[in-house]
Amino acid sequence: MTTLNSWPKLTGREEFRFLSELVFTRSAGDHTVVSLRDQHGGTTRFANNQVVQNVDSRCGTLTVTVSFGCKHGTASTTDFTAGSVQETLVRAERLARLSPEDPEYLPPPDPQQHLTLPTVREESRAAGPARRLEYAGEAIGQCRVENLSAAGIVGSSVGAIGVAASTGLFAHEERTEARFSVTVQDGEATGWASATHRSIDHLKVQERTLAAIAKAKRGEEIRDLPPGMYPVILEPAAAAGLWTWMLWSLDAKAYDKGTSPFSGRLGQRIVDARLSLDNVSAHEDLLGVGFTPDGLATGPSRWIDRGVLQQLSYDRYTANAHRIRSLPTLDAPCVSAEGAAAQSVPELIKNTKRALLITNFWYIRPVNAFDLTLTGMTRDGTFLVEEGQIVSAVKNLRFHESPLRAFNQVEACTRPLEAVTSETGKMLVPAMVLNAFHFSSATRF
């Protein structure tokens, strides 16, 4: 049985360069691309206050894409020996010759200037099953003290990512990532918290577990509220769920076809004039990367400037058709609010006369793509706030609302806070008070 200490090192920069050159010198194609994904990490899962899984794994994949004109083929291998890499190249060439021409094919990019970003934290690189088990035990212990039930995960990984092309393009970097999620159950009531960060020490397991416990305990006495329009306080995770659909809808191809909710609105105000959206690749609390899967350089960019839409998301083909040479990325999104006065969610609650406090949305799905109307349900802590205090829990509600309407109803905001949900990636986004939010029906729980 292979022990943790016997794992070979991740594929380094020079080793990846050697493997790439090995492929390029033997390739018969017009263009050749080699991609690397080499990851070592694991996950500890717990449920009913017990650890149910604690696994650690290592997986590396080398992918070769060969093109002949506009015909291209791709093959992959998990064996990095010279013979296996050569055989993978042969399979990619065979597939390329058999494939039909791709009318949107573009040659790989030329060499790029990639940012050197803080993508690695040594404490996460060193973390293994024992460290993850320690954090899981901390969450379980907190819940046992309160006689509550905990379920969740603690994960950590370190990976080597690379892209090289016969055009001279070369990119390689290591990336660490850690994650924590806990759901606390008190009878029928639940509380939830989640975090993702480059550093496993930044997960704040105890703090977030205590927050989830507090939400679960507040949900013991619950009341029904009829559907309708309500003022809401969106915690960062709830706000992030809506913002993520905004980000996904910025596709330039859909914009050109007229199927985007933003079609014809580039350069126009789409949300509250206090709100801006930036890509901040170098932010230490985000998961910015130095390059895209195509090997294109990332960097800072402004997408929404004080409510006005400034950028669209382009694939290389669409960008080339528009003669756009520099493609903005959204690998590290940050929403900020000009003049935000509140520092925290409790401060927003204190200054609110009446509203529903929403911890999180789940199962968010589109209803109308043209105005970005979404539906979904509240989850893991929905509360009624009156006169600056939480007065009771509320049964979960289903919403039908467009973030394009909702984010034009902003009453107050905090500074940008970390947010991650089960359906979205990591971003920084303020908690927000919205004057009106439409709930279409109540749920049974």
Side-chain angles (χ1 to χ4, degrees):
M1 181 176 179
T2 305
T3 63
L4 179 64
N5 291 333
S6 67
W7 281 114
K9 292 182 179 179
L10 291 175
T11 306
R13 187 179 186 86
E14 292 311 312
E15 183 180 359
F16 177 55
R17 191 186 298 276
F18 172 80
L19 291 171
S20 301
E21 292 299 331
L22 182 69
V23 172
F24 298 150
T25 56
R26 289 165 171 75
S27 175
D30 297 328
H31 294 102
T32 306
V33 178
V34 182
S35 301
L36 167 73
R37 185 173 183 84
D38 188 1
Q39 186 162 319
H40 181 194
T43 302
T44 301
R45 301 181 186 275
F46 54 97
N48 298 320
N49 288 346
Q50 295 183 26
V51 172
V52 296
Q53 184 184 55
N54 193 18
V55 298
D56 202 76
S57 63
R58 170 73 183 279
C59 182
T61 303
L62 198 73
T63 301
V64 178
T65 299
V66 177
S67 66
F68 296 97
C70 292
K71 302 168 69 173
H72 55 92
T74 299
S76 299
T77 181
T78 58
D79 182 352
F80 289 9
T81 61
S84 177
V85 172
Q86 171 70 19
E87 201 279 329
T88 303
L89 170 62
V90 171
R91 284 190 288 123
E93 290 178 341
R94 185 184 306 124
L95 289 169
R97 290 189 173 96
L98 294 172
S99 297
E101 291 196 350
D102 180 355
E104 295 190 358
Y105 174 78
L106 289 176
D110 291 328
Q112 304 271 308
Q113 282 292 115
H114 299 113
L115 295 175
T116 301
L117 300 175
T119 55
V120 173
R121 295 293 290 267
E122 292 303 321
E123 60 271 24
S124 298
R125 186 203 298 273
R131 184 69 177 282
R132 295 190 292 268
L133 188 61
E134 176 186 338
Y135 277 136
E138 187 174 336
I140 291 170
Q142 293 284 349
C143 292
R144 281 178 175 163
V145 168
E146 300 288 343
N147 198 28
L148 303 175
S149 178
I153 64 166
V154 181
S156 64
S157 65
V158 56
I161 310 298
V163 183
S166 53
T167 57
L169 173 73
F170 185 86
H172 178 280
E173 70 181 7
E174 290 192 3
R175 302 168 185 171
T176 58
E177 186 173 330
R179 61 194 184 281
F180 169 69
S181 178
V182 63
T183 299
V184 178
Q185 189 155 2
D186 183 4
E188 295 298 318
T190 60
W192 167 88
S194 184
T196 299
H197 203 272
R198 294 290 184 199
S199 169
I200 195 169
D201 290 343
H202 192 87
L203 295 178
K204 301 177 183 177
V205 170
Q206 182 179 31
E207 176 185 324
R208 289 189 163 93
T209 302
L210 290 174
I213 288 172
K215 287 182 180 293
K217 293 175 72 173
R218 282 198 186 113
E220 292 175 351
E221 295 184 9
I222 194 166
R223 74 167 70 172
D224 288 300
L225 285 182
M229 299 293 290
Y230 287 91
V232 293
I233 303 172
L234 299 184
E235 293 199 8
L242 300 180
W243 272 101
T244 297
W245 279 90
M246 296 259 291
L247 272 54
W248 288 345
S249 301
L250 290 169
D251 177 58
K253 190 172 288 187
Y255 186 96
D256 290 345
K257 292 178 180 178
T259 58
S260 166
F262 304 111
S263 290
R265 302 185 68 181
L266 192 62
Q268 297 180 13
R269 189 171 72 83
I270 58 170
V271 293
D272 189 286
R274 290 167 290 178
L275 299 177
S276 294
L277 170 65
D278 293 276
N279 190 64
V280 194
S281 297
H283 199 294
E284 62 179 9
D285 289 332
L286 290 171
L287 304 180
V289 296
F291 52 89
T292 70
D294 289 328
L296 297 175
T298 64
S301 55
R302 172 149 286 199
W303 289 70
I304 298 175
D305 183 21
R306 287 172 286 188
V308 177
L309 180 61
Q310 301 286 336
Q311 303 275 9
L312 297 173
S313 178
Y314 292 90
D315 59 35
R316 292 184 59 230
Y317 175 82
T318 308
N320 186 65
H322 285 270
R323 298 183 179 179
I324 294 174
R325 302 188 66 181
S326 179
L327 274 65
T329 60
L330 266 173
D331 52 296
C334 174
V335 178
S336 59
E338 193 173 83
Q343 293 298 306
S344 64
V345 174
E347 191 174 341
L348 288 181
I349 294 172
K350 182 179 178 180
N351 295 323
T352 299
K353 185 173 180 63
R354 191 173 192 269
L356 293 181
L357 173 64
I358 312 298
T359 298
N360 192 19
F361 292 125
W362 74 297
Y363 211 73
I364 302 174
R365 296 295 182 267
V367 174
N368 186 337
F370 290 99
D371 66 358
L372 200 56
T373 296
L374 307 172
T375 189
M377 289 170 278
T378 64
R379 187 176 189 177
D380 298 323
T382 305
F383 305 97
L384 178 62
V385 173
E386 291 182 338
E387 304 299 338
Q389 293 186 341
I390 296 175
V391 296
S392 74
V394 175
K395 277 191 177 180
N396 287 309
L397 296 161
R398 173 174 288 279
F399 73 87
H400 275 75
E401 186 60 271
S402 168
L404 295 177
R405 290 190 294 268
F407 294 137
N408 274 293
Q409 304 285 332
V410 178
E411 175 68 22
C413 291
T414 66
R415 60 186 174 83
L417 302 171
E418 294 179 62
V420 61
T421 77
S422 59
E423 294 185 329
T424 65
K426 176 72 175 289
M427 67 187 305
L428 297 180
V429 60
M432 299 181 181
V433 180
L434 307 181
N435 287 327
F437 198 85
H438 180 235
F439 293 98
S440 55
S441 61
T443 68
R444 295 182 180 180
F445 56 93

